[in-house]
Amino acid sequence: MKVIECSELTKSYNRKKVLNQLSFSIEENTITGLVGRNGAGKTTLLKIIAGYIKNTSGEVRVFSERSFNSLNVSGNSIFVDDQMSFPPALQLGELLGEAKRFYPNYDANLAKRLFDYFGFDEKAYHNRLSKGKTSTFNMIIGLASRCPLTIFDEPTTGMDEAVRKDFYRALLKDYIAHPRTIIISSHHVDEVEDILEDVLLINKGSKLLHLPIAEVKEWACGIKGNSETVLKLINNKEVLYQKEVGMNTLYAVVRKDSSGSGSIEEQAQLAGLEVTAVRSSDLFVHLTTEAKSKGGIDDVFNNY
């Protein structure tokens, strides 16, 4: 079953397209990572899916109906970010108790255990928490709600590394016990990729990739060695990045392919070149880099 279906989804502000004819679907009971650079349109997309804002054109369906102003979508989803608003007069302990009135699947016992584990004070107030503590409390509500559609938009903002690891571990354990559709937008791709099943990469409001994480990890490879040999090998290949890394030594990131003469990896090894894996986070950077040449930031300083 498809929980989310987007077809040529477009959103414009003052004639500027933030999302541009975006089409994709997300299956039930999967964890999808939404990645892209700042300004790519990730938050806008998530808010449209959650029904917070209306798309300009195209169509988005959540639970088989239009998400905007839908009571069904609102009642079966939760949008978690660092801007979540709670009644300022209620203490944290009271907020935990009130949450069960809004989310039918809410697990008050899980919420209380997480609340105690992360060292919260029941008499504290949400609007007086530090940035990291705010994100942690919001995460507790998001996990304990167990909504059929749970959206985390940069949920670990302000958290230290230890808390982020605990969050990912808690999310995975609860997802295994209680499957639901989860979308995570995060800049910490290397930290979150082990819990993802699919990745949706967008750039300037358009889809670049939507693949299972296993395929993303095998999408490209790094090749390093004699510059002339590398250049000859990658000729007519899809080169994502290249950089001189030493005297007459070139490193290139190339999309994998197969041909009658063997895969790019096999060809590189036969030519005596070093073949390495490419981290998912590096791949996303290479795919979204704006520089026409493949040197990245180093190009700024060339011939300076």
Side-chain angles (χ1 to χ4, degrees), residues 278-291:
V278 179
R279 296 192 311 169
S280 299
S281 57
D282 290 337
L283 173 63
F284 300 148
V285 170
H286 299 328
L287 285 170
T288 57
T289 187
E290 303 225 355

Side-chain angles (χ1 to χ4, degrees), residues 154 156-157 159 164 168 186-193 281:
E154 297 293 345
T156 59
T157 300
M159 292 183 188
R164 293 200 304 270
Y168 299 136
S186 176
H187 284 100
H188 300 283
V189 178
D190 289 332
E191 292 184 357
V192 75
E193 67 176 359
S281 57

Side-chain angles (χ1 to χ4, degrees), residues 5-292:
E5 296 178 272
C6 291
S7 177
E8 297 185 353
L9 177 63
T10 298
K11 179 63 180 178
S12 300
Y13 291 107
N14 299 322
R15 298 183 180 179
K16 180 180 179 180
K17 289 184 178 180
V18 179
L19 299 176
N20 186 18
Q21 295 187 321
L22 196 59
S23 297
F24 66 92
S25 61
I26 293 179
E27 297 288 335
E28 182 182 30
N29 298 337
T30 57
I31 303 180
T32 300
L34 177 62
V35 296
R37 297 201 174 194
N38 289 334
K42 300 189 299 298
T43 295
T44 298
L45 173 60
L46 295 178
K47 287 186 174 181
I48 290 175
I49 291 173
Y52 285 16
I53 57 179
K54 189 176 182 180
N55 50 304
T56 302
S57 63
E59 187 173 57
V60 55
R61 289 191 172 273
V62 180
F63 306 121
S64 299
E65 62 182 69
R66 294 176 181 174
S67 60
F68 185 67
N69 279 347
S70 166
L71 290 176
N72 182 45
V73 172
S74 296
N76 288 281
S77 64
I78 185 170
F79 182 89
V80 181
D81 68 355
D82 62 354
Q83 301 298 315
M84 286 184 77
S85 179
F86 294 95
L90 296 183
Q91 297 173 335
L92 296 183
E94 294 172 315
L95 291 177
L96 285 187
E98 290 297 313
K100 62 185 177 184
R101 296 175 55 191
F102 296 90
Y103 305 109
N105 298 331
Y106 184 77
D107 187 331
N109 186 36
L110 173 63
K112 185 61 169 64
R113 294 200 310 271
L114 289 171
F115 187 86
D116 293 339
Y117 175 82
F118 288 109
F120 283 97
D121 179 0
E122 290 190 0
K123 297 188 180 299
Y125 291 89
H126 187 266
N127 59 2
R128 299 177 187 174
L129 297 174
S130 68
K131 196 172 189 66
K133 280 288 191 179
T134 297
S135 294
T136 304
F137 182 83
N138 297 352
M139 171 269 292
I140 292 172
I141 298 296
L143 281 181
S145 70
R146 289 185 178 149
C147 287
L149 174 58
T150 301
I151 300 173
F152 291 105
D153 186 16
E154 297 293 345
T156 59
T157 300
M159 292 183 188
D160 60 38
E161 183 178 357
V163 176
R164 293 200 304 270
K165 288 182 178 179
D166 281 340
F167 164 63
Y168 299 136
R169 179 67 174 167
L171 186 151
L172 182 58
K173 287 179 72 67
D174 201 59
Y175 169 76
I176 292 172
H178 302 276
R180 62 264 207 192
T181 304
I182 298 175
I183 305 176
I184 305 175
S185 169
S186 176
H187 284 100
H188 300 283
V189 178
D190 289 332
E191 292 184 357
V192 75
E193 67 176 359
D194 287 341
I195 68 172
L196 300 180
E197 295 169 84
D198 298 308
V199 172
L200 173 60
L201 171 64
I202 65 174
N203 188 46
K204 295 183 177 179
S206 298
K207 181 180 72 176
L208 290 185
L209 286 178
H210 187 198
L211 295 170
I213 186 66
E215 292 185 28
V216 170
K217 292 179 178 180
E218 295 296 324
W219 203 82
C221 64
I223 298 172
K224 179 181 176 183
N226 176 269
S227 297
E228 184 178 348
T229 306
V230 173
L231 287 172
K232 183 178 179 180
L233 179 68
I234 66 177
N235 185 38
N236 296 323
K237 305 293 184 182
E238 185 175 347
V239 180
L240 307 178
Y241 174 81
Q242 66 183 54
K243 177 184 178 182
E244 293 284 349
V245 293
M247 185 66 68
N248 198 32
T249 301
L250 184 69
Y251 171 73
V253 175
V254 186
R255 181 174 180 177
K256 292 183 181 181
D257 68 346
S258 296
S259 63
S261 56
S263 70
I264 185 70
E265 298 157 292
E266 292 171 341
Q267 295 174 49
Q269 290 169 347
L270 287 173
L273 301 173
E274 180 184 351
V275 180
T276 58
V278 179
R279 296 192 311 169
S280 299
S281 57
D282 290 337
L283 173 63
F284 300 148
V285 170
H286 299 328
L287 285 170
T288 57
T289 187
E290 303 225 355
K292 291 184 178 180

